[in-house]
Amino acid sequence: MPDDNAESNEQQYRVFGQVGASYQRNEANTQWSVGAQSTGDQTSASARLSGALGRLGGHGFATRRIDDRFIVVDSDGQPGLPIFYENRFAGKTNAAGKLLIPGARAYQPNQVSMDASALPIEYTLAQDHLAVVPCRNSGAAARFEISDGEVMVQVLRAHGKRLPEGARATVSTQSRQVAIGSRSEVFISRAAKPAHVTVAWPDGECRFDYVPDDTRTSDPTSGVQRCQ
């Protein structure tokens, strides 16, 4: 409206009320928003960024804000695999083969599945559906075991003795420890990939590098791996 008290011949106008706008977007690991508002001759702007950092099963992750329960999917290191939560698409695993699913149900089975057809033809998936039960205010892991060939490797300690009974092996290409076989053997489910193997028992441990079709870390006459 014109300002009749204006000293100049130019008409002056004022805006009564508020005018504003905002924009919000959800990214894979964050949620952010920007906004602006004008009231009369005053203008203000705002920006907001939120997210969360977490850790489960020895792996850290960044994600949007987590208020309660969540599930971390582990595809055994395979990236880009489609994951479904309760038969709804939840996303694809990242470069490390992980995907975080927020908003799970506490103390109830949560159905997580993988589209096995996305795997290379030489890979096999032990189980494409998992049921995980997170507690309140915590997370749960959904680990899919994937194999691209299997091999049983006999392992002896540096002095030629068998590994102790009850020893367990940690294989860098596998998400779970494996028990040592009765013949001092280690089961490797990712036989096509090199791996670092650590064998541990109550009063000691040893290590060796598994290399497919290679004898650099084994006895050339018997193929037995030497754990030192």
Side-chain angles (χ1 to χ4, degrees), residues 140-163:
R143 296 186 176 93
F144 290 93
E145 299 291 339
I146 297 174
S147 173
D148 58 350
E150 302 172 348
V151 65
M152 190 72 78
V153 178
Q154 187 174 21
V155 181
L156 297 179
R157 297 164 70 179
H159 43 64
K161 291 186 178 181
R162 291 187 175 187
L163 297 170

Side-chain angles (χ1 to χ4, degrees), residues 138-194:
S138 66
R143 296 186 176 93
F144 290 93
E145 299 291 339
I146 297 174
S147 173
D148 58 350
E150 302 172 348
V151 65
M152 190 72 78
V153 178
Q154 187 174 21
V155 181
L156 297 179
R157 297 164 70 179
H159 43 64
K161 291 186 178 181
R162 291 187 175 187
L163 297 170
E165 291 186 12
R168 300 188 68 84
T170 301
V171 185
S172 61
T173 54
Q174 299 170 204
S175 59
R176 297 182 182 179
Q177 285 188 327
V178 294
I180 301 302
S182 59
R183 299 180 182 179
S184 191
E185 298 168 323
V186 175
F187 178 77
I188 296 178
S189 65
R190 306 292 299 278
K193 294 184 178 296

Side-chain angles (χ1 to χ4, degrees), residues 56-210:
L56 180 67
H59 300 281
F61 55 85
T63 183
R64 296 195 295 269
R65 178 176 173 176
I66 301 174
D67 293 316
D68 202 342
R69 306 148 307 275
F70 62 93
I71 297 169
V72 174
V73 177
D74 182 349
S75 65
D76 216 355
Q78 295 299 310
L81 296 182
I83 303 298
F84 296 83
Y85 174 69
E86 300 292 343
N87 296 319
R88 297 189 302 271
F89 179 70
K92 293 185 177 182
T93 55
N94 63 15
K98 303 291 190 299
L99 175 69
L100 185 136
I101 302 176
R105 299 186 305 274
Y107 306 114
Q108 299 180 48
N110 291 257
Q111 301 297 323
V112 181
S113 58
M114 176 187 294
D115 182 3
S117 66
L119 284 168
I121 192 170
E122 68 271 18
Y123 286 74
T124 58
L125 181 63
Q127 190 175 4
D128 61 1
H129 284 75
L130 298 174
V132 294
V133 183
C135 298
R136 185 176 180 181
N137 298 323
S138 66
R143 296 186 176 93
F144 290 93
E145 299 291 339
I146 297 174
S147 173
D148 58 350
E150 302 172 348
V151 65
M152 190 72 78
V153 178
Q154 187 174 21
V155 181
L156 297 179
R157 297 164 70 179
H159 43 64
K161 291 186 178 181
R162 291 187 175 187
L163 297 170
E165 291 186 12
R168 300 188 68 84
T170 301
V171 185
S172 61
T173 54
Q174 299 170 204
S175 59
R176 297 182 182 179
Q177 285 188 327
V178 294
I180 301 302
S182 59
R183 299 180 182 179
S184 191
E185 298 168 323
V186 175
F187 178 77
I188 296 178
S189 65
R190 306 292 299 278
K193 294 184 178 296
H196 181 70
V197 183
T198 300
V199 181
W201 55 94
D203 59 351
E205 67 177 27
C206 62
R207 300 176 178 84
F208 69 93
D209 290 320
Y210 165 76

